Amino acid sequence: MLMEKERIEIVEYGKKMSSAGLCKGTSGNISIYDPETGYMAISPSGIGYFETEPEDVVVMKLDGTIVEGNRAPSSEHGLHSVIYLNKPEARAVVHTHSIYCTTFAALNQPLKAVHYVIGGAGVSEIPCAPYCTFGTPELAESVKNTIGDSKAVLLQNHGLVASGPKLAKAFSLAVNLEFVAEIQYRALCIGQPCVLSDEQMAEVMVRFKSYGQPAKNNEKKDGMGY
Ligand SMILES: [Zn+2]
């Protein structure tokens, strides 16, 4: 089975994503990209996270050609591909319809630096990509035109896409951005939140680079743990 390790990881993280409350039903999807082969392993369309087996995960090329798999890939495979094509460092993508991120996406408003963990995205504001129908090349194009230097982007009236150098990082970014969105929402309920300045966020980014456990020999430190 091609990309067996990655397919097992996608199944494992699908369950985590569901258990963490980041998606309802079969919404959301996960992928891992291998730049050496040019193959992407992506969760299948319309199968519950607790029913998905590694062989249900589809291996495909970024142009949409299926390489191995008996299932239809996630309808958002183009959305995942556009991130790998435009972010050379991205190796995993997590797409969710998490409640608080999607609330701001429904308002077409960005996530702001109301909490420093937003810096895990490498920016101090998560932009919102203009609305396009789900599963279309237009939606992928909208993300491409909006994401900029960010590792994540909101999708207007839809949800969130987060990327990372490995699946654990993309997943933890999606969790942290849902936290930021909830804080932004709650703060707006009772007042006007203070937003950290660019200077304050620049200091956060510096600290992220050195925070956490020392990197293992073969592991590049990417400063996203905190
Ligand atoms: Zn979606």
Side-chain angles (χ1 to χ4, degrees):
M1 185 161 65
L2 287 171
M3 299 184 81
E4 185 171 4
K5 191 169 112 320
E6 289 85 353
R7 285 161 124 169
I8 291 169
E9 205 181 352
I10 286 171
V11 169
E12 178 197 339
Y13 272 85
K15 290 174 186 162
K16 280 191 190 193
M17 189 160 87
S18 190
S19 303
L22 293 180
C23 54
K24 306 265 186 210
T26 60
S27 73
N29 29 70
I30 297 173
S31 71
I32 298 176
Y33 177 57
D34 176 4
E36 278 182 23
T37 56
Y39 294 166
M40 163 175 77
I42 186 163
S43 47
S45 181
I47 303 181
Y49 289 108
F50 287 90
E51 284 79 56
T52 304
E53 301 289 342
E55 51 268 31
D56 295 325
V57 176
V58 181
V59 175
M60 62 195 307
K61 294 185 190 169
L62 298 186
D63 66 5
T65 313
I66 294 179
V67 178
E68 191 177 270
N70 302 320
R71 304 287 191 173
S74 158
S75 57
E76 294 297 6
H77 61 84
L79 181 66
H80 290 247
S81 295
V82 84
I83 296 199
Y84 298 125
L85 289 168
N86 290 278
K87 296 208 162 284
E89 72 286 2
R91 296 289 179 271
V93 170
V94 171
H95 166 51
T96 74
H97 295 176
S98 56
I99 299 290
Y100 290 95
C101 283
T102 307
T103 300
F104 284 98
L107 295 165
N108 192 20
Q109 287 180 12
L111 300 185
K112 303 268 195 180
V114 294
H115 193 287
Y116 73 86
V117 298
I118 198 170
V123 292
S124 52
E125 187 172 300
I126 308 300
C128 187
Y131 180 78
C132 294
T133 309
F134 77 95
T136 61
E138 289 76 19
L139 178 60
E141 189 69 16
S142 179
V143 163
K144 178 185 163 188
N145 294 336
T146 308
I147 196 165
D149 293 330
S150 179
K151 292 187 169 96
V153 66
L154 296 178
L155 312 175
Q156 187 190 337
N157 298 96
H158 184 159
L160 170 80
V161 182
S163 66
K166 58 183 182 179
L167 183 50
K169 299 287 187 183
F171 177 78
S172 90
L173 181 58
V175 169
N176 282 325
L177 292 180
E178 179 63 1
F179 167 73
V180 171
E182 182 171 357
I183 297 302
Q184 185 168 317
Y185 169 84
R186 286 174 177 266
L188 282 166
C189 286
I190 53 171
Q192 198 57 37
C194 297
V195 175
L196 297 173
S197 67
D198 288 348
E199 194 179 31
Q200 287 168 324
M201 283 307 299
E203 283 182 31
V204 168
M205 308 290 188
V206 170
R207 288 191 73 82
F208 275 179
K209 289 204 172 86
S210 59
Y211 182 88
Q213 302 295 319
K216 290 178 195 151
N217 292 338
N218 59 350
E219 197 174 68
K220 197 171 135 256
K221 193 155 174 60
D222 55 30
M224 273 186 61
Y226 33 84

